Amino acid sequence: IDEAPRMIAGGQDLITTMKDYSVRPSRVVNLKRIRGLNRITIDARGRLSIGALVTLTQVEEHPVIRKSFPGIAEAAKSIATPQIRNLGTVGGNLCQRPRCWYFRLEEVVCLKKGGTECYAASGENKYNAIIAGGPSYIVHPSDLAPILLALGAQVSVTGSAGKRFIPLHKFFTLPSDGNIRRENVLQNDEIITEIQVPPSPLAARSTYLKFKERESLDFALASVAVAIQLMPDKTVKDARIVLGGVAPIPWRVPEAEKFLAGKEINPQVFAETAKLALKDAKPLEKNAYKIPLTQTLVRRALAKAAGV
């Protein structure tokens, strides 16, 4: 036992990391007895608040989320199996650890576990990053993170120093920028208490598409969250595009968004947008397939969000 205490809610990620000894917490602290963290509320202005202990099933089935924030409901539904969604929480989904098999193997001390090498860089890297990778080539496994980022969400965080609000685009950290052994800016004594999604004209035309090897119980090889606002003449007024499964953090592509703004929706525009979204990709030896795969998801997500 060599690590700080860990928080547990649904336990769908923590228990697996404890079983494979990726983490060895000195103690486990149950969050489920904290009142008020399992609620979904929408205020008079249309701001959506999701407690950190809200289950994925609650998000998937919530009638207002399904109507007004469809991309969030789709992302929740895409996760694992009904049994896991009944237990897994929104906060846990945002904070889960990487699924890289080198990181998960007990006997391997990779860069993220205090070693000196990211074995995925030259080893089995089929599932690893093609964008912004290095020195660690993990991909962030959260399905909710891309769509929440696309919709401008922020997280409410509480710890011994008090409460703070963190925009989601500042919550996740690249291995090259932050603590390489962590994936976000949370301190050891902090927990997410709530996720807030502001009212936005983009939300109604939001969607989330994910490609996985197995029909269920699998993580994204690649995923795309899209939210767009159309003008009456069917040109794009505004857009947000965030990629999942391809980078160590949910990866927003502002250059592709800027290109799309003002354009008439059609397959040619969608194809060019998809190319721009992946222009910075630098695949490893065994994951170049992620480029055309993700481009296809971008095209399909744009068409779905636009209703064409």
Side-chain angles (χ1 to χ4, degrees), residues 232-280:
D233 63 356
K234 297 298 182 181
T235 57
V236 178
K237 182 176 182 180
D238 196 8
R240 297 289 183 275
I241 305 171
V242 182
L243 311 180
V246 295
I249 61 174
W251 192 256
R252 187 175 168 189
V253 285
E255 186 175 344
E257 297 170 356
K258 185 177 179 181
F259 169 81
L260 190 59
K263 299 290 194 305
E264 180 182 346
I265 53 173
N266 61 59
Q268 292 73 30
V269 167
F270 294 160
E272 188 61 34
T273 304
K275 289 180 182 178
L276 283 172
L278 276 295
K279 65 182 286 291
D280 293 326

Coordinates of all heavy atoms in Angstrom, one line a residue, residues 232-280:
P232 N -31.5 30.0 -40.7 CA -32.7 29.7 -41.4 C -32.4 29.2 -42.8 O -33.1 28.3 -43.3 CB -33.5 31.0 -41.4 CG -33.1 31.7 -40.2 CD -31.6 31.4 -40.1
D233 N -31.3 29.6 -43.4 CA -31.0 29.2 -44.8 C -30.1 27.9 -44.8 O -29.6 27.5 -45.8 CB -30.3 30.3 -45.6 CG -28.9 30.7 -45.0 OD1 -28.6 30.1 -43.9 OD2 -28.2 31.5 -45.5
K234 N -30.0 27.3 -43.6 CA -29.3 26.0 -43.5 C -27.8 26.1 -43.6 O -27.1 25.1 -43.8 CB -29.8 25.0 -44.5 CG -31.3 24.6 -44.3 CD -31.5 24.0 -42.9 CE -33.0 23.6 -42.8 NZ -33.3 23.0 -41.4
T235 N -27.3 27.4 -43.5 CA -25.8 27.5 -43.3 C -25.5 27.4 -41.8 O -26.4 27.6 -40.9 CB -25.3 28.8 -43.9 OG1 -26.0 29.9 -43.2 CG2 -25.6 29.0 -45.3
V236 N -24.2 27.1 -41.5 CA -23.8 26.9 -40.2 C -23.5 28.2 -39.5 O -22.6 28.9 -40.0 CB -22.6 25.9 -40.1 CG1 -22.1 25.8 -38.7 CG2 -22.9 24.6 -40.7
K237 N -24.1 28.5 -38.4 CA -23.8 29.8 -37.7 C -22.7 29.5 -36.7 O -21.8 30.4 -36.6 CB -25.0 30.3 -36.9 CG -24.8 31.6 -36.2 CD -26.1 32.1 -35.5 CE -25.8 33.4 -34.8 NZ -27.1 33.9 -34.1
D238 N -22.7 28.4 -36.0 CA -21.6 28.1 -35.1 C -21.5 26.6 -34.9 O -22.5 25.9 -35.2 CB -22.0 28.7 -33.7 CG -20.8 28.8 -32.8 OD1 -19.7 28.5 -33.2 OD2 -21.0 29.1 -31.6
A239 N -20.4 26.1 -34.5 CA -20.2 24.7 -34.4 C -19.1 24.4 -33.3 O -18.2 25.2 -33.1 CB -19.8 24.1 -35.7
R240 N -19.2 23.2 -32.7 CA -18.2 22.7 -31.8 C -18.0 21.2 -32.2 O -18.9 20.4 -32.4 CB -18.6 22.7 -30.3 CG -18.9 24.1 -29.8 CD -17.6 24.9 -29.6 NE -17.8 26.2 -29.1 CZ -18.2 27.3 -29.7 NH1 -18.3 27.2 -31.1 NH2 -18.4 28.4 -29.1
I241 N -16.7 20.8 -32.3 CA -16.3 19.5 -32.7 C -15.2 19.0 -31.7 O -14.2 19.7 -31.6 CB -15.8 19.4 -34.1 CG1 -16.8 19.9 -35.1 CG2 -15.5 17.9 -34.5 CD1 -16.3 20.1 -36.5
V242 N -15.5 17.9 -31.0 CA -14.5 17.4 -30.1 C -14.3 15.9 -30.4 O -15.3 15.2 -30.5 CB -15.0 17.6 -28.6 CG1 -13.9 17.1 -27.6 CG2 -15.2 19.1 -28.3
L243 N -13.0 15.5 -30.5 CA -12.7 14.1 -30.8 C -12.4 13.4 -29.5 O -11.8 13.9 -28.5 CB -11.5 14.1 -31.7 CG -11.5 15.0 -32.9 CD1 -10.2 14.8 -33.7 CD2 -12.7 14.7 -33.8
G244 N -12.8 12.1 -29.4 CA -12.5 11.2 -28.3 C -11.7 10.0 -28.8 O -11.8 9.6 -30.0
G245 N -11.0 9.3 -27.9 CA -10.3 8.1 -28.3 C -9.1 8.3 -29.2 O -8.5 7.3 -29.6
V246 N -8.6 9.5 -29.4 CA -7.5 9.8 -30.3 C -6.4 10.6 -29.6 O -5.3 10.7 -30.2 CB -7.9 10.4 -31.6 CG1 -8.9 9.5 -32.4 CG2 -8.6 11.8 -31.3
A247 N -6.6 11.1 -28.5 CA -5.7 12.0 -27.8 C -5.7 11.8 -26.3 O -6.7 11.2 -25.8 CB -6.0 13.5 -28.1
P248 N -4.7 12.2 -25.5 CA -4.7 12.0 -24.1 C -5.8 12.8 -23.4 O -6.0 12.6 -22.2 CB -3.3 12.5 -23.7 CG -2.5 12.3 -24.9 CD -3.4 12.7 -26.0
I249 N -6.4 13.8 -24.1 CA -7.5 14.6 -23.5 C -8.6 14.6 -24.6 O -8.3 14.4 -25.8 CB -7.1 16.0 -23.1 CG1 -6.5 16.8 -24.3 CG2 -6.0 16.0 -22.0 CD1 -6.2 18.2 -24.1
P250 N -9.8 15.0 -24.2 CA -10.8 15.2 -25.3 C -10.3 16.4 -26.1 O -9.9 17.4 -25.6 CB -12.0 15.7 -24.4 CG -11.8 15.1 -23.1 CD -10.3 15.2 -22.8
W251 N -10.3 16.1 -27.4 CA -9.5 17.0 -28.3 C -10.5 17.9 -29.2 O -11.1 17.4 -30.2 CB -8.6 16.2 -29.2 CG -7.6 17.0 -30.0 CD1 -7.6 17.4 -31.3 CD2 -6.4 17.6 -29.4 NE1 -6.5 18.1 -31.6 CE2 -5.8 18.3 -30.4 CE3 -5.9 17.6 -28.1 CZ2 -4.6 19.0 -30.2 CZ3 -4.7 18.3 -27.9 CH2 -4.0 19.0 -28.9
R252 N -10.6 19.2 -28.9 CA -11.4 20.1 -29.7 C -10.6 20.5 -30.9 O -9.3 20.7 -30.8 CB -11.8 21.3 -28.8 CG -12.7 22.2 -29.5 CD -13.2 23.3 -28.6 NE -13.9 24.4 -29.4 CZ -14.3 25.5 -28.9 NH1 -14.0 25.8 -27.6 NH2 -14.9 26.4 -29.7
V253 N -11.3 20.8 -32.0 CA -10.6 21.1 -33.3 C -11.1 22.5 -33.8 O -12.0 22.5 -34.7 CB -10.8 20.0 -34.3 CG1 -9.9 18.9 -34.0 CG2 -12.2 19.5 -34.4
P254 N -10.7 23.6 -33.2 CA -11.2 24.9 -33.5 C -11.0 25.3 -35.0 O -11.8 26.0 -35.6 CB -10.4 25.9 -32.6 CG -9.3 25.1 -32.1 CD -9.7 23.7 -32.1
E255 N -9.9 24.8 -35.6 CA -9.7 25.2 -37.0 C -10.8 24.6 -37.9 O -11.3 25.2 -38.8 CB -8.3 24.7 -37.5 CG -8.0 25.1 -38.9 CD -6.6 24.7 -39.3 OE1 -5.8 24.4 -38.5 OE2 -6.3 24.8 -40.6
A256 N -11.2 23.4 -37.6 CA -12.3 22.7 -38.4 C -13.6 23.4 -38.1 O -14.5 23.6 -39.0 CB -12.4 21.2 -38.0
E257 N -13.8 23.8 -36.8 CA -15.0 24.6 -36.5 C -15.1 25.9 -37.2 O -16.2 26.3 -37.7 CB -15.0 24.9 -35.0 CG -15.1 23.6 -34.1 CD -14.9 23.9 -32.6 OE1 -14.6 25.1 -32.3 OE2 -15.0 23.0 -31.8
K258 N -14.0 26.6 -37.3 CA -14.0 27.9 -38.0 C -14.2 27.7 -39.5 O -15.0 28.5 -40.1 CB -12.6 28.6 -37.8 CG -12.5 30.0 -38.4 CD -11.1 30.6 -38.0 CE -11.0 32.0 -38.6 NZ -9.7 32.6 -38.3
F259 N -13.7 26.7 -40.1 CA -14.0 26.4 -41.5 C -15.4 26.2 -41.7 O -16.0 26.7 -42.7 CB -13.2 25.2 -41.9 CG -13.6 24.7 -43.3 CD1 -13.1 25.3 -44.5 CD2 -14.4 23.6 -43.4 CE1 -13.5 24.8 -45.7 CE2 -14.8 23.1 -44.7 CZ -14.3 23.7 -45.8
L260 N -16.1 25.5 -40.8 CA -17.5 25.1 -41.0 C -18.4 26.3 -40.9 O -19.5 26.3 -41.5 CB -17.9 24.0 -40.0 CG -19.2 23.3 -40.1 CD1 -19.3 22.6 -41.4 CD2 -19.4 22.3 -39.0
A261 N -18.1 27.3 -40.1 CA -18.9 28.4 -39.8 C -19.2 29.2 -41.1 O -18.3 29.5 -41.9 CB -18.3 29.3 -38.8
G262 N -20.5 29.4 -41.4 CA -20.8 30.2 -42.6 C -21.0 29.3 -43.8 O -21.5 29.8 -44.9
K263 N -20.7 28.0 -43.7 CA -20.8 27.1 -44.9 C -22.2 26.5 -45.0 O -22.9 26.3 -44.0 CB -19.8 26.0 -44.8 CG -18.3 26.5 -44.8 CD -17.9 27.0 -46.1 CE -16.4 27.1 -46.2 NZ -15.8 27.9 -45.1
E264 N -22.6 26.2 -46.2 CA -23.8 25.5 -46.4 C -23.6 24.0 -46.1 O -22.5 23.5 -46.5 CB -24.2 25.7 -47.9 CG -25.5 24.9 -48.3 CD -25.9 25.1 -49.7 OE1 -25.3 26.0 -50.4 OE2 -26.8 24.3 -50.2
I265 N -24.5 23.4 -45.5 CA -24.3 22.0 -45.1 C -24.5 21.1 -46.3 O -25.5 21.1 -47.0 CB -25.3 21.5 -44.0 CG1 -26.7 21.8 -44.4 CG2 -24.9 22.2 -42.7 CD1 -27.7 21.3 -43.4
N266 N -23.4 20.3 -46.6 CA -23.4 19.4 -47.7 C -22.3 18.4 -47.5 O -21.3 18.7 -46.7 CB -23.3 20.1 -49.1 CG -22.1 20.9 -49.3 OD1 -21.0 20.3 -49.2 ND2 -22.2 22.2 -49.5
P267 N -22.3 17.3 -48.2 CA -21.2 16.2 -48.0 C -19.8 16.7 -48.3 O -18.9 16.3 -47.6 CB -21.6 15.1 -49.0 CG -23.1 15.3 -49.2 CD -23.3 16.8 -49.1
Q268 N -19.6 17.6 -49.2 CA -18.3 18.1 -49.5 C -17.7 19.0 -48.4 O -16.6 18.8 -48.0 CB -18.3 19.0 -50.8 CG -18.6 18.2 -52.1 CD -20.1 17.8 -52.2 OE1 -21.0 18.4 -51.7 NE2 -20.3 16.6 -52.9
V269 N -18.6 19.8 -47.8 CA -18.2 20.6 -46.7 C -17.8 19.7 -45.5 O -16.8 20.0 -44.8 CB -19.3 21.7 -46.3 CG1 -19.0 22.3 -44.9 CG2 -19.3 22.7 -47.4
F270 N -18.7 18.7 -45.3 CA -18.4 17.8 -44.1 C -17.1 17.1 -44.3 O -16.4 16.9 -43.4 CB -19.6 16.8 -44.0 CG -20.9 17.5 -43.6 CD1 -22.1 16.8 -43.8 CD2 -20.9 18.7 -43.0 CE1 -23.3 17.3 -43.4 CE2 -22.2 19.3 -42.6 CZ -23.3 18.6 -42.9
A271 N -16.8 16.7 -45.6 CA -15.6 15.9 -45.8 C -14.3 16.8 -45.6 O -13.3 16.4 -45.0 CB -15.6 15.4 -47.3
E272 N -14.4 18.1 -46.0 CA -13.3 19.0 -45.8 C -13.1 19.3 -44.3 O -12.0 19.4 -43.8 CB -13.5 20.3 -46.6 CG -12.3 21.2 -46.6 CD -11.1 20.6 -47.2 OE1 -11.2 19.8 -48.2 OE2 -10.0 20.9 -46.8
T273 N -14.2 19.4 -43.6 CA -14.2 19.7 -42.2 C -13.5 18.5 -41.5 O -12.7 18.6 -40.6 CB -15.6 19.9 -41.6 OG1 -16.2 20.9 -42.3 CG2 -15.5 20.2 -40.1
A274 N -13.8 17.3 -41.9 CA -13.3 16.1 -41.3 C -11.7 16.0 -41.5 O -11.0 15.6 -40.6 CB -13.9 14.8 -41.9
K275 N -11.3 16.4 -42.7 CA -9.9 16.4 -43.0 C -9.1 17.4 -42.1 O -8.1 17.1 -41.5 CB -9.6 16.7 -44.5 CG -10.0 15.6 -45.5 CD -9.7 16.1 -46.9 CE -10.2 15.0 -47.9 NZ -10.0 15.5 -49.3
L276 N -9.7 18.5 -41.9 CA -9.1 19.6 -41.0 C -9.1 19.1 -39.6 O -8.1 19.4 -38.9 CB -9.9 20.9 -41.1 CG -9.6 21.7 -42.4 CD1 -10.6 22.9 -42.4 CD2 -8.2 22.2 -42.4
A277 N -10.1 18.4 -39.2 CA -10.1 17.9 -37.8 C -9.0 16.9 -37.5 O -8.6 16.9 -36.3 CB -11.5 17.2 -37.5
L278 N -8.5 16.2 -38.5 CA -7.4 15.3 -38.2 C -6.1 15.7 -38.8 O -5.1 14.9 -38.9 CB -7.8 13.9 -38.9 CG -8.7 13.0 -38.0 CD1 -7.9 12.5 -36.8 CD2 -10.0 13.6 -37.6
K279 N -5.9 17.0 -39.2 CA -4.7 17.4 -39.8 C -3.5 17.3 -39.0 O -2.4 17.2 -39.5 CB -4.9 18.9 -40.3 CG -5.0 19.9 -39.2 CD -5.2 21.3 -39.8 CE -3.9 21.9 -40.3 NZ -2.9 22.2 -39.2
D280 N -3.6 17.3 -37.7 CA -2.5 17.3 -36.8 C -2.2 15.8 -36.3 O -1.3 15.7 -35.4 CB -2.7 18.2 -35.5 CG -2.8 19.6 -35.9 OD1 -2.0 20.0 -36.8 OD2 -3.5 20.4 -35.3

